[in-house]
Amino acid sequence: QAQVVQSGAEVKKPGASLKLSCNVSGETFSDAYTHWVRQAPGQRLEWMGLINGGGDAPNYAPKFRGRVTMTTDSSTTTVYLDLSSLRSEDTAVYYCVKTRNYYDSFAMWGQGTVVTVSS
Amino acid sequence: EIFLTQSPATLSVSPGERVTLSCRASQYVASAYFAWYQQKPGQAPRLLIYGASARASGVPDRFSGSGSETDFTLTISSLEPEDFAVYSCQQHESAPFTFGQGTKLEI
């Protein structure tokens, strides 16, 4: 049974960087895609980008380009999200989502990671 | 970027009622790339409908989706207590993939 398990909650100061992890198991890692979606308090879900298991050609939402990096480690079937220059508006629940194909709907969600950015 | 607008923002309803939620896209979205999600407090979203009208695995048949091009609808034929949640639409045809702001069903 495929599973998506995310790392634990984080508290960061403004200006710091964030690194979240997402372990994807149960299916062929290299053929799958992992998306990152976040949800700030009271706000709509916001797609940040995606990467395939091979780590090739990530696609980032324009809003996050220059601040976000997504990487993969195929030996541990883990996907990472790096977000730099954090500000209070980055306080949100961050989800990773696994899809089999690039344009699939989002059937398999991680449990979410709460990130708080505060001085 | 395709912008999705849902209406209404909040809907006060009772168990047993039939409800219709709407989602309008700022430009054409192919039905194959349109989905609906249910989200309860403290939980990740759950896929309900994909391809605009197909129910995801395990989704009760009281949930149905319809629509095309720029106007899509989610209908719940008879509300159960566990259906009180936030419902969001999504297009995953054109990156950045986008979501609507959600419709909250409340008692």
Side-chain angles (χ1 to χ4, degrees):
Chain A
Q1 180 74 2
Q3 252 192 321
V4 181
V5 179
Q6 299 183 230
S7 50
E10 302 263 10
V11 178
K12 295 290 185 180
K13 294 197 180 302
S17 293
L18 174 71
K19 190 178 187 88
L20 303 181
S21 68
C22 171
N23 182 262
V24 181
S25 63
E27 293 198 21
T28 304
F29 182 75
S30 60
D31 295 336
Y33 291 84
T34 301
H35 304 251
W36 289 92
V37 177
R38 76 179 189 180
Q39 188 170 36
Q43 302 299 309
R44 70 180 68 198
L45 295 159
E46 184 173 36
W47 183 81
M48 301 179 70
L50 87 166
I51 190 168
N52 71 355
D56 304 326
N59 187 2
Y60 305 136
K63 174 178 179 176
F64 299 102
R65 281 178 199 151
R67 273 208 312 145
V68 70
T69 305
M70 296 177 189
T71 55
T72 66
D73 181 345
S74 57
S75 68
T76 61
T77 62
T78 300
V79 180
Y80 297 95
L81 171 74
D82 284 272
L83 187 63
S84 62
S85 303
L86 291 170
R87 36 216 189 220
S88 58
E89 307 89 90
D90 294 315
T91 294
V93 179
Y94 288 73
Y95 296 100
C96 63
V97 185
K98 177 182 172 299
T99 63
R100 193 166 295 173
N101 300 298
Y102 194 105
Y103 292 104
D104 280 353
S105 53
F106 292 9
M108 192 174 303
W109 295 69
Q111 81 276 21
T113 297
V114 176
V115 173
T116 303
V117 181
S118 174
S119 55
Chain B
E1 176 172 332
I2 298 176
F3 196 78
L4 300 179
T5 303
Q6 293 185 239
S7 59
T10 305
L11 195 55
S12 296
V13 291
S14 300
E17 284 189 31
R18 177 186 179 92
V19 296
T20 299
L21 312 182
S22 295
C23 181
R24 175 162 289 177
S26 60
Q27 56 188 275
Y28 173 90
V29 176
S31 295
Y33 304 104
F34 190 87
W36 288 94
Y37 299 85
Q38 177 192 66
Q39 189 174 21
K40 297 181 179 179
Q43 296 185 16
R46 170 198 180 195
L47 177 66
L48 287 180
I49 301 288
Y50 65 94
S53 60
R55 278 187 296 276
S57 176
V59 174
D61 61 7
R62 62 182 181 272
F63 291 92
S64 62
S66 62
S68 61
E69 299 191 2
T70 61
D71 289 288
F72 298 87
T73 298
L74 174 70
T75 300
I76 310 172
S77 60
S78 179
L79 278 168
E80 296 288 339
E82 61 267 29
D83 299 338
F84 290 89
V86 176
Y87 294 84
S88 298
C89 56
Q90 181 208 25
Q91 66 82 19
H92 49 97
E93 175 177 17
S94 173
F97 303 149
T98 49
F99 294 85
Q101 82 278 22
T103 291
K104 182 179 181 181
L105 292 188
E106 61 179 27
I107 299 175

